Amino acid sequence: MGKKTTVGIAILGHGTVGSEVLRLMGEYSEDLTHRIGGELEIKGVAVSDLDKHKDSPAAHLMTTDAMSLINREDVDIVVEVIGGIDYPRQLVLAALKAGKSVVTANKALVAAHAAELAEAADEANVDLYYEAAVAAAIPVIGPLRRSLAGDRVKSVMGIVNGTTNFILDAMDSTGASYDDMLAEATRLGYAEADPTADVEGYDAASKAAILATLAFHTRVTADDVYREGISKITAADINAAKNAGHTIKLLAICERVGDTVSARVHPTLIPRDHPLASVNKSFNAIFVEAEAAGRLMFYGNGAGGAPTASAVLGDLVGAARNKVHGGRAPGESTYANLKIADFGDVSTRYHVDMDVHDQLGVLARIAEQFSNAGISLRTVRQEEKGENARLIVVTHHAYERDLAGVVEKLKSMDEVKSVNSVIRLESE
Ligand code: HSE
C-alpha cells in the first residue's frame, strides 16, 4: 500500500449529501491535492435511477451498478452516502473485503453493524471512517478516536438531532403545541415526510451508540440505548419547565456507571443557564467530559448537505492520504468490553407532573410513596386546576427502577387522577 499519486473514488448515492460531496470535491480540488499529496479522481457515482440525474453535471459518471463500480481495480476509496441499512451494508462490506477504504455518513448502518464493518476493515487492512454519521460537520468522532485516545472519558452528553431541537426550541419560544411545531418543521424542510426516526429518538439513539462505543472502548449498539422521543411533550410540559427555570431538550447521554456503560436518549429538563440550553434551532452540541481533559464542548451544524459533505471530505482526505503515503487511521477499539448497564440502575432526577384531588392529606400520601421507595423530594409545587390540583414533584437523584415503581403506585392511587408526564432532569 502507499506511493499512489492518484486515488480513485467511487461515490454511492447522489442525494443532498452526495451531490454536495461532488460539488465540493470539484471546487476544492487543488487544495485537496496539496493536502493529500496526490489527486482524487472520481471513477463513478452509483445511483438508483439514471433518468432522475440526467441533467446533473456528473451524469457521465453515473451508473446503477454499484457493485461493479466498487470492484473496479482503479477504485481505492468508496464513499457511501445512500442511507438505509441493508443495501449499504452489502455494498460497504463488499468494498472493505475488496480492499477499498470506506467513508460513510450512515449512522444507522454504523450503529447497527459496527462490529462486522470494523472486522472487515481490519482484515483488509483498510480504513473505515464515519465522522459525518454523528452531528454532521461537528468533529466529534475524530476527537474521540484520536485526540482523547490517551484519556479516560467519563461521559458524553449532547443534542445530536437537529429536527427535534428545532421543534422543542420552537415550542419553547412560541408556547405552541408539538403538532403545530412539527408541522412548521416539516414546512421549513427540517422534518422529513415521515419524521418517526427523528421525533421518536431512533436517529439520536444510533448516534448515542456510536459515541458510547468510541468513548468507552466497548461495543454499544442502537438496541442497547434506552430511547424515548419527544412526541408526548406538551405545551404544558414546556410551560412548567419554563416556570421552574428550565428548558426541555432531547439529550443523548452516555456515561460510565461503575464498570458498566449506560446510553440513553430522552427528553430532558436542563436549567436555562446550562450551556446546552442555548443551543437553539436545528443546531447540535456535544459535551464530552474526560478525566484529564476536563469538559469539552463541540457545537455546530448537525445536518444539511454542505455540513455533512464537509465531514465526508475530511474523512476522504484522511483515507486518501493513507492510500498515498501508507498507514491506517486509528480504528475503533472495544477492548474494555464493559457491560451495558441495566436501565434500572441508572440514576438521575425526575420531574413528575400529575393531577390530583385537592383534599386534606393527599400531598402527604403522595410524598409517602416517594419516601417509601427511598426517593428524596427536592421541590413540590401545587397549582389550582378546577376542582383538582396540579402537583409537580421534582426529586433528588433516584434510580430508574425505584422511580418507575413509584409512578406505577401513583397511577393506582384514588387520590391521583392522572400522571401527566415524567421527565428526567439533568444539571451541570
Ligand atoms: N435527521 C438528523 C437531524 C440529521 O435532524 O439532526 C441527520 O442525522
Side-chain angles (χ1 to χ4, degrees), residues 216-299:
F216 306 118
H217 300 271
T218 289
R219 172 75 51 223
V220 181
T221 69
D223 288 342
D224 297 321
V225 180
Y226 173 82
R227 178 193 53 76
E228 264 178 45
I230 66 162
S231 58
K232 293 196 178 68
I233 298 293
T234 62
D237 292 328
I238 300 273
N239 197 38
K242 261 187 172 172
N243 290 340
H246 288 92
T247 186
I248 300 178
K249 298 288 189 188
L250 184 75
L251 295 191
I253 302 173
C254 312
E255 307 167 291
R256 252 192 99 138
V257 183
D259 280 337
T260 63
V261 166
S262 131
R264 51 197 165 105
V265 167
H266 50 66
T268 313
L269 285 149
I270 50 173
R272 293 188 93 81
D273 60 1
H274 190 289
L276 289 175
S278 58
V279 177
N280 53 26
K281 304 221 162 78
S282 64
F283 284 94
N284 286 191
I286 298 156
F287 255 157
V288 178
E289 187 169 1
E291 276 184 20
R295 289 176 171 187
L296 308 164
M297 184 161 167
F298 303 84
Y299 168 87

Side-chain angles (χ1 to χ4, degrees), residues 1-116:
M1 197 82 50
K3 307 289 173 256
K4 291 180 79 73
T5 52
T6 62
V7 182
I9 310 297
I11 301 183
L12 313 182
H14 192 255
T16 317
V17 178
S19 52
E20 273 302 291
V21 168
L22 269 172
R23 185 182 72 79
L24 293 176
M25 279 177 77
E27 194 175 327
Y28 303 161
S29 98
E30 209 178 312
D31 291 312
L32 298 179
T33 303
H34 285 294
R35 293 172 197 176
I36 291 163
E39 211 172 322
L40 297 178
E41 248 180 45
I42 300 169
K43 301 296 182 185
V45 178
V47 296
S48 55
D49 180 355
L50 289 175
D51 263 2
K52 205 171 133 191
H53 303 285
K54 64 181 187 316
D55 298 327
S56 156
H60 62 290
L61 291 166
M62 291 189 183
T63 170
T64 52
D65 188 353
M67 207 51 104
S68 299
L69 172 61
I70 286 169
N71 282 305
R72 269 173 62 160
E73 281 282 311
D74 57 355
V75 165
D76 302 295
I77 301 175
V78 172
V79 176
E80 186 272 308
V81 282
I82 302 176
I85 298 187
D86 294 336
Y87 180 51
R89 171 174 165 260
Q90 286 171 30
L91 298 176
V92 167
L93 279 174
L96 294 169
K97 285 180 180 157
K100 325 286 176 167
S101 289
V102 169
V103 174
T104 176
N106 190 332
K107 81 224 64 145
L109 172 67
V110 176
H113 295 291
E116 182 183 35

Side-chain angles (χ1 to χ4, degrees), residues 107 160-163 192 198 203 207 284 302-303:
K107 81 224 64 145
V160 292
N161 182 271
T163 306
E192 296 188 24
D198 290 319
D203 174 83
K207 293 166 180 168
N284 286 191

